[in-house]
Amino acid sequence: MKQHIRKYIWLFAANLYISAFTFGGGYVVVPMVRRLFVGKKRYFSEEDLLNMAAIAQSTPGAIAVNLSALAGYRVAGIPGALISCLAAVLPPLVILSFVSAFYKIFVSNTIIAAILKGMEAGVAALMVDLVTDMCSLIFRKKSFFLSAMVPLSLIANFVLDINVALILVVCCLMCILWALYKKRKRI
Protein backbone atom coordinates (compact mmCIF):
# COMPACT_ATOMS: atom_id res chain seq x y z
CA MET A 1 0.00 0.00 0.00
CA LYS A 2 2.83 2.38 0.90
CA GLN A 3 4.46 1.64 -2.48
CA HIS A 4 1.25 2.68 -4.30
CA ILE A 5 1.01 5.93 -2.37
CA ARG A 6 4.63 6.77 -3.24
CA LYS A 7 3.92 6.05 -6.90
CA TYR A 8 0.80 8.27 -6.81
CA ILE A 9 2.73 11.10 -5.16
CA TRP A 10 5.50 10.78 -7.76
CA LEU A 11 2.95 10.77 -10.59
CA PHE A 12 1.24 13.87 -9.22
CA ALA A 13 4.54 15.72 -8.71
CA ALA A 14 5.96 14.69 -12.11
CA ASN A 15 2.84 15.70 -14.05
CA LEU A 16 2.48 18.91 -12.05
CA TYR A 17 6.11 19.77 -12.84
CA ILE A 18 5.68 18.93 -16.55
CA SER A 19 2.48 20.92 -16.83
CA ALA A 20 3.81 23.93 -14.93
CA PHE A 21 7.05 24.25 -16.91
CA THR A 22 6.05 23.43 -20.48
CA PHE A 23 4.62 26.14 -22.68
CA GLY A 24 3.63 25.81 -26.31
CA GLY A 25 1.31 22.87 -26.67
CA GLY A 26 1.25 19.13 -26.32
CA TYR A 27 4.36 18.24 -28.29
CA VAL A 28 6.53 20.17 -25.87
CA VAL A 29 5.41 17.78 -23.13
CA VAL A 30 6.81 14.70 -24.90
CA PRO A 31 10.53 15.43 -24.21
CA MET A 32 9.72 16.09 -20.54
CA VAL A 33 7.73 12.85 -20.26
CA ARG A 34 10.61 11.05 -21.97
CA ARG A 35 13.11 12.42 -19.48
CA LEU A 36 11.06 11.58 -16.36
CA PHE A 37 9.08 8.45 -17.29
CA VAL A 38 11.46 6.78 -19.77
CA GLY A 39 14.90 8.05 -18.76
CA LYS A 40 14.63 8.47 -15.00
CA LYS A 41 12.06 5.89 -13.86
CA ARG A 42 12.01 3.53 -16.89
CA TYR A 43 8.27 2.98 -16.57
CA PHE A 44 8.01 2.40 -20.33
CA SER A 45 10.16 2.46 -23.48
CA GLU A 46 10.70 5.33 -25.88
CA GLU A 47 8.71 3.48 -28.52
CA ASP A 48 5.82 3.12 -26.04
CA LEU A 49 6.04 6.87 -25.43
CA LEU A 50 5.82 7.66 -29.13
CA ASN A 51 2.85 5.31 -29.48
CA MET A 52 1.16 7.06 -26.56
CA ALA A 53 1.96 10.45 -28.13
CA ALA A 54 0.30 9.32 -31.37
CA ILE A 55 -2.79 8.16 -29.45
CA ALA A 56 -2.84 11.39 -27.42
CA GLN A 57 -2.79 13.41 -30.64
CA SER A 58 -5.49 11.30 -32.26
CA THR A 59 -7.98 11.51 -29.40
CA PRO A 60 -10.12 14.55 -28.60
CA GLY A 61 -8.79 16.99 -26.05
CA ALA A 62 -5.48 18.56 -25.20
CA ILE A 63 -2.49 16.42 -26.21
CA ALA A 64 -0.68 17.19 -22.95
CA VAL A 65 -3.60 16.04 -20.79
CA ASN A 66 -4.21 12.96 -22.96
CA LEU A 67 -0.54 12.00 -22.78
CA SER A 68 -0.50 12.53 -19.01
CA ALA A 69 -3.54 10.29 -18.65
CA LEU A 70 -1.98 7.57 -20.81
CA ALA A 71 1.34 7.73 -18.96
CA GLY A 72 -0.43 7.70 -15.58
CA TYR A 73 -2.56 4.76 -16.65
CA ARG A 74 0.52 2.90 -17.84
CA VAL A 75 2.25 3.46 -14.50
CA ALA A 76 -0.61 3.01 -12.01
CA GLY A 77 -3.84 2.09 -13.79
CA ILE A 78 -7.01 4.15 -13.49
CA PRO A 79 -5.98 5.94 -10.27
CA GLY A 80 -2.73 6.90 -11.98
CA ALA A 81 -4.62 8.29 -14.97
CA LEU A 82 -6.91 10.36 -12.74
CA ILE A 83 -4.03 11.69 -10.63
CA SER A 84 -2.03 12.53 -13.76
CA CYS A 85 -4.97 14.36 -15.35
CA LEU A 86 -5.56 16.41 -12.22
CA ALA A 87 -1.88 17.34 -12.02
CA ALA A 88 -1.81 18.21 -15.73
CA VAL A 89 -4.76 20.62 -15.60
CA LEU A 90 -3.99 22.40 -12.31
CA PRO A 91 -1.11 24.67 -13.49
CA PRO A 92 -2.87 25.92 -16.66
CA LEU A 93 -6.04 26.50 -14.65
CA VAL A 94 -4.20 28.59 -12.06
CA ILE A 95 -2.10 30.47 -14.64
CA LEU A 96 -5.07 31.25 -16.91
CA SER A 97 -7.14 32.38 -13.95
CA PHE A 98 -4.35 34.72 -12.91
CA VAL A 99 -3.76 36.03 -16.45
CA SER A 100 -7.46 36.59 -17.10
CA ALA A 101 -7.80 38.52 -13.84
CA PHE A 102 -4.99 40.88 -14.91
CA TYR A 103 -5.42 40.68 -18.70
CA LYS A 104 -5.19 44.40 -19.41
CA ILE A 105 -1.89 44.66 -17.53
CA PHE A 106 -0.38 41.66 -19.34
CA VAL A 107 -1.46 42.78 -22.82
CA SER A 108 0.31 46.13 -22.62
CA ASN A 109 3.48 45.00 -20.81
CA THR A 110 6.52 44.89 -23.15
CA ILE A 111 8.54 42.70 -20.77
CA ILE A 112 5.87 39.99 -20.76
CA ALA A 113 5.63 40.25 -24.57
CA ALA A 114 9.42 39.72 -24.79
CA ILE A 115 9.25 36.74 -22.43
CA LEU A 116 6.54 35.16 -24.57
CA LYS A 117 8.64 35.69 -27.72
CA GLY A 118 11.55 33.94 -26.00
CA MET A 119 9.27 31.06 -25.08
CA GLU A 120 8.26 30.73 -28.74
CA ALA A 121 11.89 30.14 -29.71
CA GLY A 122 12.32 27.53 -26.98
CA VAL A 123 9.13 25.76 -28.00
CA ALA A 124 10.30 25.66 -31.62
CA ALA A 125 13.56 24.03 -30.54
CA LEU A 126 11.71 21.42 -28.46
CA MET A 127 9.38 20.62 -31.36
CA VAL A 128 12.33 20.16 -33.74
CA ASP A 129 13.92 17.82 -31.18
CA LEU A 130 10.70 15.78 -30.94
CA VAL A 131 10.29 15.54 -34.72
CA THR A 132 13.89 14.36 -35.20
CA ASP A 133 13.44 11.74 -32.45
CA MET A 134 10.19 10.48 -33.98
CA CYS A 135 11.72 10.33 -37.46
CA SER A 136 14.79 8.48 -36.21
CA LEU A 137 12.57 5.84 -34.58
CA ILE A 138 10.63 5.46 -37.83
CA PHE A 139 13.80 5.19 -39.92
CA ARG A 140 15.33 2.66 -37.47
CA LYS A 141 12.53 0.24 -38.34
CA LYS A 142 14.08 0.07 -41.84
CA SER A 143 10.67 -0.04 -43.48
CA PHE A 144 10.41 1.69 -46.83
CA PHE A 145 6.65 2.03 -46.33
CA LEU A 146 6.92 3.85 -42.99
CA SER A 147 9.97 5.88 -44.05
CA ALA A 148 8.19 7.07 -47.20
CA MET A 149 5.22 8.31 -45.14
CA VAL A 150 7.35 11.00 -43.46
CA PRO A 151 8.30 13.04 -46.57
CA LEU A 152 4.98 12.29 -48.28
CA SER A 153 3.07 13.64 -45.27
CA LEU A 154 5.28 16.71 -45.22
CA ILE A 155 4.69 17.35 -48.93
CA ALA A 156 0.95 16.73 -48.56
CA ASN A 157 0.71 19.35 -45.81
CA PHE A 158 3.19 22.06 -46.79
CA VAL A 159 3.12 21.84 -50.59
CA LEU A 160 -0.37 20.56 -51.36
CA ASP A 161 -1.95 22.28 -48.31
CA ILE A 162 -3.92 19.18 -47.30
CA ASN A 163 -5.45 19.31 -43.81
CA VAL A 164 -3.35 17.58 -41.15
CA ALA A 165 -6.37 15.68 -39.81
CA LEU A 166 -6.98 14.17 -43.23
CA ILE A 167 -3.30 13.24 -43.56
CA LEU A 168 -3.43 11.58 -40.13
CA VAL A 169 -6.54 9.57 -41.03
CA VAL A 170 -5.05 8.44 -44.35
CA CYS A 171 -1.76 7.45 -42.68
CA CYS A 172 -3.63 5.50 -39.98
CA LEU A 173 -5.73 3.68 -42.57
CA MET A 174 -2.67 2.89 -44.68
CA CYS A 175 -0.86 1.47 -41.64
CA ILE A 176 -3.86 -0.64 -40.71
CA LEU A 177 -4.06 -2.03 -44.27
CA TRP A 178 -0.30 -2.59 -44.27
CA ALA A 179 -0.46 -4.48 -40.95
CA LEU A 180 -3.37 -6.62 -42.21
CA TYR A 181 -1.44 -7.37 -45.42
CA LYS A 182 1.67 -8.39 -43.46
CA LYS A 183 -0.43 -10.54 -41.11
CA ARG A 184 -2.16 -12.26 -44.02
CA LYS A 185 1.19 -12.79 -45.76
CA ARG A 186 2.51 -14.65 -42.68
CA ILE A 187 -0.45 -17.05 -42.62
Side-chain angles (χ1 to χ4, degrees), residues 7-164:
K7 194 178 282 189
Y8 296 152
I9 291 170
W10 184 87
L11 269 175
F12 185 82
N15 283 294
L16 192 70
Y17 171 76
I18 290 169
S19 183
F21 295 104
T22 52
F23 294 88
Y27 292 113
V28 179
V29 171
V30 176
M32 299 281 282
V33 172
R34 178 188 301 122
R35 192 174 79 212
L36 293 174
F37 286 79
V38 176
K40 187 175 181 181
K41 289 289 190 172
R42 301 190 192 287
Y43 280 130
F44 40 83
S45 71
E46 193 162 328
E47 188 170 342
D48 291 335
L49 172 62
L50 291 178
N51 289 336
M52 287 189 286
I55 292 168
Q57 178 188 4
S58 305
T59 53
I63 296 170
V65 176
N66 292 344
L67 184 58
S68 291
L70 289 169
Y73 182 79
R74 188 72 184 262
V75 172
I78 291 174
L82 295 172
I83 289 166
S84 295
C85 282
L86 178 65
V89 298
L90 275 177
L93 182 68
V94 170
I95 291 168
L96 286 174
S97 298
F98 182 75
V99 168
S100 65
F102 301 102
Y103 180 74
K104 288 185 180 184
I105 296 169
F106 283 115
V107 151
S108 60
N109 191 317
T110 55
I111 293 172
I112 290 177
I115 290 170
L116 292 174
K117 283 292 178 193
M119 284 181 178
E120 285 178 18
V123 166
L126 284 171
M127 290 179 80
V128 167
D129 179 51
L130 173 66
V131 168
T132 56
D133 286 348
M134 289 178 94
C135 288
S136 71
L137 280 174
I138 290 169
F139 295 142
R140 265 191 245 150
K141 293 214 181 268
K142 295 186 173 137
S143 164
F144 176 77
F145 176 74
L146 292 174
S147 297
M149 288 179 90
V150 173
L152 291 174
S153 297
L154 185 72
I155 291 167
N157 183 252
F158 287 107
V159 176
L160 302 175
D161 200 31
I162 297 174
N163 189 311
V164 175

